[in-house]
Amino acid sequence: MSLRAKLLLPLFLLGLLIAGYLYVVWIPRTLAADEVAHLRGVDKHLNSVAETLVPLLLGNQLDVLHGNLDALKEDNPEWLSIRLINPGNKPLYPLATAAKLQDAATTPDVHIVEKPIRYLGEPLGTLIIQVDLAPSLENTRKEIAELTYVLLGVMAALMLTIVATAELLVGRPVRQLASAATRLARMDFETPLPMAGTDEIGELVDSFSSMRDDLQDNRASLLREIAERREAEEALRQLNETLAQRVKNEVAANRDKDHLLIQQSRLAAMGEMVHNIAHQWRQPLNSLSLIISNILDDFRFKTLTEETLERDSANARRLIERMSTTIDDFRDFFRPDREKSSFDVATSIRDAVFIIEASLKSNHIELTLDAPPGLTASGFPGQYGQAVLNLLVNAKEAILEHRQSGGRIRVVLEQKDGFAVLGVEDNGGGIPANILQQLFDPYFTTKDQGTGIGLYMAKMIIERNMEGTISATNIEDGARFILSIPLERTA
Ligand code: ADP
């Protein structure tokens, strides 16, 4: 049911109620009251007529009485008939057979009024008149009809005004809003809205308009988000497509990096090796130089004999052999391990110590070695020795950097819970607390000429290749590194 119909229906019912009240209650009641008033007037009139008739009846002046009543009838045209009967019901007026009284039921406005005429209590007769109130009531009826029409007209006009106003102020804007809402549902944001007044409809229009703006904004941001998401999905898809390739590239790059690392580590080790060979050779070279000087002196002073030459050249050959052995030892130490093998941990440690020994000696650094033989581990002995050497080189460098003299390195090998535990301690000042965490990171160094791969390599060798652990702590005036590798299980 439309809003208009909903408004009209109660108004129509109200009109019906008012009209019903007018017709059923008010009009009959007004007419009845009017009728009673008229009848009272007639009654009063009859009283005075009856009084004038008394002397005429007493005097039996029937002709005068007839004349009076004829005149009375003429004066009151609404009196349909006048009859006068004596107490014995004999008609005195009119004398002719009385005209039949109209039936009051068929003509509701015709009433019969009887007025007894008495003199000193004695009945003289009864005056009976038939009065038609229709002409007198006609006016009232007309007035009532007019009033009713005016009232109904006013009601209808009122209804129309209310409906038209409601239509103008509510119906039309609400319909416009409804149509805008329908178009909004189809994402059409351009529908014109009704003018926003200051009433409740205005508030509705205002909130609808702000809702539409919000919706428009939300839709725009939603579309933006969808577009961004699509872009991201596309990027992800492309990334997925290229991921395998990128992983391959990354792995290759890592391999290259590892390669470079090993290369750098080798170079560092080679540097150390050359350095150490130089130290190892210093003494035999000095001796060789002395032998050559001896030969020259013998020659100059003519004391060179076959015997002295043979002795000197034998000494020189021995020295050269020793030097050659040294080179072999170094070469063996740096020869890469082909495969895993059982090895004596102490021997590997001694090999590492041998490599650096001369260099330590020339720098007046005292090394104490406590490495009992007999602890066998399984793995790569060369790599293990290399790790130990890295620790020894670091210890040496720390000592050289922090002290002029009294440098000491203590190397202790112990067996603990199935592990070969090696401690390398120095008195080179220790490791600053703030770098302890980064110590084993690749390329981490605090030295000007450092590579930062010594400890990283040691960690890789011990933890990755030999399932052991490596750690660093500070001791009283230096650092302690602990290498722990599992011992080979004896069956
Ligand atoms: P590099 O020796 O080339 O610097 P390393 O990985 O061998 O690379 O060592 C990393 C850093 O750890 C060193 O630069 C040094 O600061 C610190 N470090 C290593 N060993 C010791 C030590 N025994 N005493 C003090 N600091 C050390």
Side-chain angles (χ1 to χ4, degrees):
M1 197 190 262
S2 74
L3 185 67
R4 213 178 309 160
K6 276 184 189 160
L7 260 174
L8 267 175
L9 190 68
L11 285 174
F12 179 72
L13 288 177
L14 185 69
L16 221 61
L17 210 69
I18 292 172
Y21 175 77
L22 285 178
Y23 275 97
V24 175
V25 180
W26 185 71
I27 293 175
R29 202 181 282 169
T30 310
L31 281 174
D34 204 33
E35 201 175 72
V36 167
H38 275 93
L39 286 176
R40 210 172 282 143
V42 170
D43 193 54
K44 244 189 198 166
H45 195 170
L46 280 184
N47 276 346
S48 63
V49 171
E51 268 173 32
T52 57
L53 290 183
V54 170
L56 298 176
L57 281 171
L58 286 177
N60 213 13
Q61 295 170 313
L62 285 180
D63 47 342
V64 181
L65 188 140
H66 274 242
N68 277 5
L69 288 179
D70 284 344
L72 197 64
K73 201 174 167 220
E74 246 169 62
D75 288 348
N76 297 291
E78 73 274 15
W79 293 11
L80 298 180
S81 66
I82 302 175
R83 283 200 300 149
L84 183 67
I85 53 170
N86 69 4
N89 252 356
K90 206 170 148 228
L92 297 177
Y93 176 88
L95 288 178
T97 326
K100 227 182 171 220
L101 289 178
Q102 266 181 285
D103 191 353
T106 52
T107 50
D109 291 342
V110 176
H111 293 263
I112 293 164
V113 183
E114 292 186 9
K115 179 60 57 189
I117 304 168
R118 296 174 196 277
Y119 181 71
L120 299 175
E122 278 301 307
L124 297 180
T126 306
L127 191 61
I128 303 167
I129 65 155
Q130 220 176 17
V131 61
D132 184 7
L133 294 180
S136 332
L137 291 178
E138 191 56 30
N139 269 344
T140 314
R141 283 210 174 98
K142 251 191 215 152
E143 276 169 17
I144 285 173
E146 265 171 28
L147 200 70
T148 308
Y149 292 143
V150 167
L151 246 159
L152 288 178
V154 167
M155 279 269 321
L158 202 70
M159 271 164 66
L160 280 178
T161 313
I162 290 173
V163 169
T165 313
E167 166 70 11
L168 198 74
L169 296 181
V170 181
R172 197 185 297 169
V174 166
R175 264 200 306 282
Q176 272 181 355
L177 275 183
S179 124
T182 315
R183 292 177 67 171
L184 204 61
R186 295 198 297 265
M187 294 302 151
D188 175 1
F189 295 99
E190 302 310 321
T191 322
L193 294 182
M195 291 278 289
T198 52
D199 54 6
E200 288 84 346
I201 294 287
E203 276 174 29
L204 188 68
V205 172
D206 272 345
S207 46
F208 186 89
S209 158
S210 67
M211 182 194 82
R212 186 175 66 169
D213 292 348
D214 287 353
L215 213 64
Q216 198 165 8
D217 287 353
N218 279 352
R219 185 166 183 262
S221 68
L222 210 66
L223 288 177
R224 236 186 348 261
E225 219 168 90
I226 289 172
E228 277 169 12
R229 210 163 270 191
R230 276 212 189 113
E231 263 173 36
E233 270 172 17
E234 178 60 22
L236 202 66
R237 199 183 55 74
Q238 281 179 5
L239 190 76
N240 271 345
E241 270 174 16
T242 56
L243 199 61
Q245 187 56 40
R246 287 169 67 164
V247 167
K248 225 189 255 170
N249 292 349
E250 212 49 42
V251 168
N254 268 351
R255 209 182 300 125
D256 288 352
K257 223 191 255 172
D258 279 355
H259 194 70
L260 194 73
L261 207 65
I262 291 166
Q263 201 70 15
Q264 281 175 331
S265 152
R266 278 218 182 111
L267 277 178
M270 297 286 258
E272 189 63 31
M273 184 174 86
V274 170
H275 194 64
N276 282 297
I277 289 175
H279 279 298
Q280 294 273 0
W281 277 10
R282 188 157 296 150
Q283 198 243 330
L285 278 176
N286 279 343
S287 303
L288 266 180
S289 152
L290 269 177
I291 290 170
I292 291 167
S293 303
N294 276 347
I295 295 172
L296 271 177
D297 286 349
D298 284 348
F299 179 72
R300 259 187 228 131
F301 299 112
K302 313 272 191 239
T303 51
L304 181 71
T305 62
E306 194 181 341
E307 198 185 325
T308 56
L309 189 63
E310 263 176 18
R311 190 198 61 214
D312 287 342
S313 56
N315 281 342
R317 213 175 295 120
R318 250 199 321 277
L319 282 171
I320 290 168
E321 266 168 29
R322 230 173 80 194
M323 287 164 75
S324 164
T325 317
T326 309
I327 293 224
D328 285 347
D329 288 345
F330 277 92
R331 193 194 52 207
D332 286 349
F333 184 80
F334 290 105
R335 181 171 289 155
D337 300 301
R338 293 266 168 255
E339 49 198 44
K340 266 187 169 187
S341 60
S342 290
F343 68 97
D344 183 65
V345 183
T347 308
S348 279
I349 296 168
R350 277 175 204 289
D351 288 348
V353 169
F354 165 74
I355 299 289
I356 201 170
E357 213 168 24
S359 149
L360 293 181
K361 241 180 228 155
S362 74
N363 285 299
H364 309 290
I365 296 171
E366 180 195 326
L367 182 136
T368 52
L369 174 63
D370 178 7
L375 299 184
T376 313
S378 162
F380 305 96
Q383 287 187 8
Y384 181 76
Q386 168 85 60
V388 177
L389 179 63
N390 289 355
L391 299 187
L392 292 172
V393 171
N394 277 343
K396 180 190 87 180
E397 286 174 352
I399 290 170
L400 291 181
E401 198 183 336
H402 280 94
R403 52 194 315 147
Q404 308 292 336
S405 62
R408 257 194 333 273
I409 298 175
R410 211 164 86 88
V411 179
V412 181
L413 175 67
E414 291 170 315
Q415 174 180 358
K416 240 187 224 167
D417 306 327
F419 281 81
V421 182
L422 172 70
V424 178
E425 296 173 9
D426 62 62
N427 58 353
I431 307 153
N434 61 325
I435 65 165
L436 263 172
Q437 294 294 320
Q438 300 149 277
L439 222 53
F440 296 97
D441 289 351
Y443 303 114
F444 175 78
T445 180
T446 56
K447 301 168 193 165
D448 292 341
Q449 301 293 317
T451 58
I453 50 176
L455 288 183
Y456 174 65
M457 282 298 288
K459 189 178 173 72
M460 295 242 288
I461 289 167
I462 299 302
E463 295 192 348
R464 204 204 275 176
N465 294 358
M466 306 188 82
E467 287 154 12
T469 55
I470 183 167
S471 61
T473 47
N474 279 319
I475 52 172
E476 201 182 328
D477 54 355
R480 176 195 284 145
F481 285 81
I482 295 182
L483 296 191
S484 180
I485 56 166
L487 288 170
E488 196 172 54
R489 272 167 220 231
T490 44

